[in-house]
Amino acid sequence: MSEQITLTVNGIQVSVPRGTTVAVAVLLAGAICRHSVTDEPRAPLCGMGVCYECRVKIDDVSHCRGCQTLCEHGMNVRTDD
Amino acid sequence: MTSAGREQFDVIVVGAGPAGIAAATRAAECGARVAVVDDNPALGGQIWRGGAEKAEDMQAREWMNRFQKVGPRLFPGTRVIGQQQSGMLLAEERDVPRTLRYRTLILATGARERFLPFPGWTLPNVMGAGGLQALVKSGLPIHEKRVVVAGSGPLLLAVAAYLRRHGAEIPLICEQTSWTRLAGFGFSLISHPGKIAQGLKLKLGLGFVPFAANCWPLAAQGFDRLESVLVSRNGEKQEIACDYLACGFHLVPNNELAALLGCELRGGFVAVDDFLRTSVPAVYCAGELTGIGGVELAVVEGEIAGLAAAGDESAARALFGNHRKLQKFVSSLARAFAPREELKSLSSPETIVCRCEDVTFARMGGHASSRAAKLHTRCGMGPCQGRVCGPAMEFLFSWEAASVRPPVFPARVASLSGMETELEVESDRTTGGTR
Ligand SMILES: Cc1cc2nc3c(=O)[nH]c(=O)nc-3n(C[C@H](O)[C@H](O)[C@H](O)COP(=O)(O)OP(=O)(O)OC[C@H]3O[C@@H](n4cnc5c(N)ncnc54)[C@H](O)[C@@H]3O)c2cc1C
Ligand code: FES
């Protein structure tokens, strides 16, 4: 069994296997990555770093692409920030 | 500037997909000092995503092991955002800018899916076909989920087979192209026995999954996430309940960096000679960027470019025959999976085309060019910089691709400060001085 990584998404604790991306952790936490300029809920589209629909705040850095970032212990992820 | 370091390499490869891996390996085996830069956190690109440990096929494992044996310097999670001056790339690793010097550059930045808008396509759980596969490879559980796979191209079959192996239920694969075009494609495959075998293997993995040609999504439906998909199937409407819609219309090249460096493009692809040299001295190009032709073509192009870049032209020349054979596949793919006219009228006036700025079909369509639409609506000016809506606009309105401006990705201010002086020069060249 692979190592579990624990992080928080909007303050809620999530555990995922090592190698999981932040975009997936957000989906598993039942959160929506962002709201668009006309307030539509948005979630990952391309899965490969080009569309920016998965952008979230990670450890106080805004506009990180969740699909290109691997989860790490103690990461603090916030959506819609 | 606050650069994390300036380092000098004989060969820098941008992109660690099959083409980049083969290029770096071959060049390093010739004794060149090689670096590979990739935005992804691990080696592998799209098809071999996740590195050697996760590789499911032999070819992937073999190449990655061979790569690791010669050990080119790998910069994972690092994006090339532009060029400071000839021979000096500007990259960004998370927040940290990096300058990398090269004597020879190999661009192997691959392709992305073409997305076309239809009502509801912005709902959560409507994703690219390769997009959903990438998320599953990155840990998204798909067991017992219902996934409609739609769009166009061989990628749909590869994705459906992958998802099914991981426990998904696939109620339907919707291929927009016609049976006639598919048959034409099948026929042209006869000269590529390897491809037939691959196709069969996929088919076996797919068992009794229904596959429809002449079939495309009309609307994705649901309140705040996807609940069902309405498809057009042989002219009839059919509604299918599902958890995910995995939808992409074949592939388009990630040509922005090549365009920024001034490489000549032909029909969106980078123009190259037999040794895969571009129009810019000391810049080579390999893989999907020269034409969409699948993994075998990407690998052989990587090998040729890597050998040529490291100076072993006779070894490169020995691969020309195989290259030419595999290249024939490019035009048959493009013909078979070109989007049909009907897909131009899927959007309603309110359908969003530019997802970054929420620009609707109606607002965009009133303009004469992508440049005019951009000026008046901000379409294509959000963080994706037109990577999603650009190819859609080209298809929907028959507009030419917008010109590329540095940086090729939204960059942190710190990285840009190292590029300021070059900005004007580069953009004048790529826009033909029409700023
Ligand atoms: C999402 C997706 C999934 C796919 N899945 C399959 C599949 O299952 N089966 C199949 O046969 N084919 C698949 N394909 C087709 C696939 O593109 C090719 O078969 C093969 O991966 C092409 O290899 P490549 O080396 O040319 O490019 P890629 O594998 O696309 O590699 C290009 C690499 O360049 C990197 N890159 C791009 N720009 C930059 C930059 N500016 N800075 C740093 N790095 C950069 C990317 O992160 C990427 O890793 C897929 C394509 C896509 C888009
Ligand atoms: S899902 Fe497209 S950038 Fe992350």
Side-chain angles (χ1 to χ4, degrees):
Chain A
M1 174 104 199
S2 62
E3 185 198 347
Q4 292 285 305
I5 305 283
T6 305
L7 66 162
T8 63
V9 177
N10 297 336
I12 298 161
Q13 241 184 32
V14 202
S15 277
V16 296
R18 177 174 287 289
T20 303
T21 58
V22 169
V24 169
V26 169
L27 293 175
L28 291 176
I32 287 292
C33 289
R34 71 176 194 107
H35 281 80
S36 73
V37 296
T38 60
D39 210 28
E40 286 191 357
R42 294 286 169 79
L45 172 72
C46 73
M48 56 174 282
V50 302
C51 75
Y52 280 75
E53 290 288 23
C54 65
R55 59 188 192 264
V56 292
K57 190 173 194 174
I58 303 177
D59 294 337
D60 288 329
V61 181
S62 310
H63 303 297
C64 297
R65 293 164 305 157
C67 73
Q68 295 298 94
T69 314
L70 295 177
C71 292
E72 282 164 24
H73 277 300
M75 244 180 193
N76 173 13
V77 179
R78 304 212 64 97
T79 64
D80 265 322
D81 252 1
Chain B
M1 70 182 274
T2 54
S3 172
R6 287 164 195 261
E7 293 181 75
Q8 171 80 49
F9 297 92
D10 298 325
V11 179
I12 294 186
V13 182
V14 185
I21 290 173
T25 305
R26 285 296 218 154
E29 285 171 354
C30 294
R33 188 168 140 72
V34 181
V36 186
V37 189
D38 198 301
D39 190 26
N40 280 344
L43 208 60
Q46 299 312 335
I47 181 169
W48 298 343
R49 177 176 291 273
E53 312 80 59
K54 284 202 184 170
E56 287 179 14
D57 79 272
M58 277 285 286
Q59 193 195 15
R61 266 203 307 274
E62 277 170 18
W63 270 107
M64 286 191 257
N65 289 336
R66 198 168 151 187
F67 174 92
Q68 265 137 17
K69 212 150 129 200
V70 278
R73 178 81 182 276
L74 179 63
F75 295 93
T78 306
R79 269 189 302 183
V80 175
I81 57 172
Q83 175 150 268
Q84 218 168 349
Q85 60 191 60
S86 181
M88 199 188 282
L89 289 180
L90 196 65
E92 207 174 59
E93 184 186 355
R94 285 249 208 144
D95 279 358
V96 188
R98 216 181 242 295
T99 317
L100 299 165
R101 290 165 184 273
Y102 63 85
R103 261 189 263 281
T104 309
L105 181 66
I106 301 177
L107 300 175
T109 50
R112 57 179 179 267
E113 291 177 88
R114 181 195 280 121
F115 295 108
L116 296 177
F118 49 86
W121 78 297
T122 54
L123 274 175
N125 293 354
V126 178
M127 298 181 185
L132 179 59
Q133 176 183 248
L135 284 157
V136 173
K137 287 184 179 177
S138 314
L140 183 71
I142 202 70
H143 193 71
E144 292 184 348
K145 299 287 186 202
R146 265 169 81 84
V147 186
V148 173
V149 178
S152 204
L155 182 58
L156 302 187
L157 297 178
V159 168
Y162 177 87
L163 296 176
R164 197 151 179 274
R165 277 204 304 283
H166 288 80
E169 183 201 340
I170 316 282
L172 184 65
I173 302 173
C174 314
E175 166 59 66
Q176 59 89 30
T177 203
S178 63
W179 285 114
T180 323
R181 285 197 174 193
L182 279 178
F185 178 66
F187 187 75
S188 68
L189 279 185
I190 286 172
S191 52
H192 304 281
K195 298 275 177 203
I196 296 179
Q198 200 186 343
L200 279 176
K201 224 172 36 199
L202 284 171
K203 237 187 244 160
L204 289 176
L206 286 174
F208 296 106
V209 173
F211 174 93
N214 291 315
C215 182
W216 58 88
L218 293 171
Q221 308 174 132
F223 176 59
D224 56 3
R225 66 186 65 217
L226 180 73
E227 285 159 22
S228 68
V229 183
L230 189 65
V231 302
S232 167
R233 188 174 180 178
N234 285 322
E236 312 242 318
K237 286 184 182 170
Q238 183 183 348
E239 187 174 344
I240 310 167
C242 57
D243 300 299
Y244 293 98
L245 170 59
C247 183
F249 295 86
H250 203 38
L251 303 172
V252 291
N254 293 322
N255 61 16
E256 290 75 12
L257 184 58
L260 183 72
L261 298 188
C263 299
E264 184 194 333
L265 303 181
R266 257 179 235 146
F269 295 96
V270 180
V272 286
D273 67 7
D274 285 348
F275 287 104
L276 300 171
R277 289 181 289 226
T278 69
S279 62
V280 176
V283 180
Y284 292 70
C285 186
E288 307 270 68
L289 206 44
T290 69
I292 306 299
V295 63
E296 284 146 84
L297 179 63
V299 167
V300 79
E301 290 205 346
E303 290 193 73
I304 292 173
L307 289 164
D312 192 347
E313 294 201 346
S314 70
R317 202 172 274 119
L319 299 169
F320 283 0
N322 192 26
H323 183 221
R324 239 170 253 139
K325 205 165 74 213
L326 291 166
Q327 249 179 339
K328 292 193 186 129
F329 195 50
V330 171
S331 51
S332 44
L333 269 178
R335 255 195 316 278
F337 300 107
R340 59 167 68 222
E341 284 297 304
E342 287 95 324
L343 300 178
K344 290 186 177 170
S345 41
L346 298 181
S347 291
S348 73
E350 306 80 45
T351 303
I352 284 170
V353 179
C354 166
R355 302 169 63 118
C356 294
E357 300 287 340
D358 284 2
V359 184
T360 60
F361 184 76
R363 279 179 62 208
M364 214 175 253
H367 298 280
S369 66
S370 60
R371 199 179 146 79
K374 220 169 162 174
L375 271 172
H376 291 101
T377 68
R378 291 191 50 79
C379 67
M381 293 177 74
C384 95
Q385 300 186 330
R387 281 177 173 74
V388 175
C389 66
M393 286 193 284
E394 271 177 62
F395 171 68
L396 294 175
F397 308 117
S398 309
W399 289 338
E400 276 180 37
S403 56
V404 182
R405 305 244 168 126
V408 292
F409 282 102
R412 311 262 174 221
V413 180
S415 320
L416 280 179
S417 60
M419 208 162 69
E420 266 163 9
T421 47
E422 188 68 2
L423 280 179
E424 294 305 316
V425 181
E426 287 291 347
S427 51
D428 276 354
R429 191 167 66 210
T430 51
T431 57
T434 53
R435 287 179 55 146

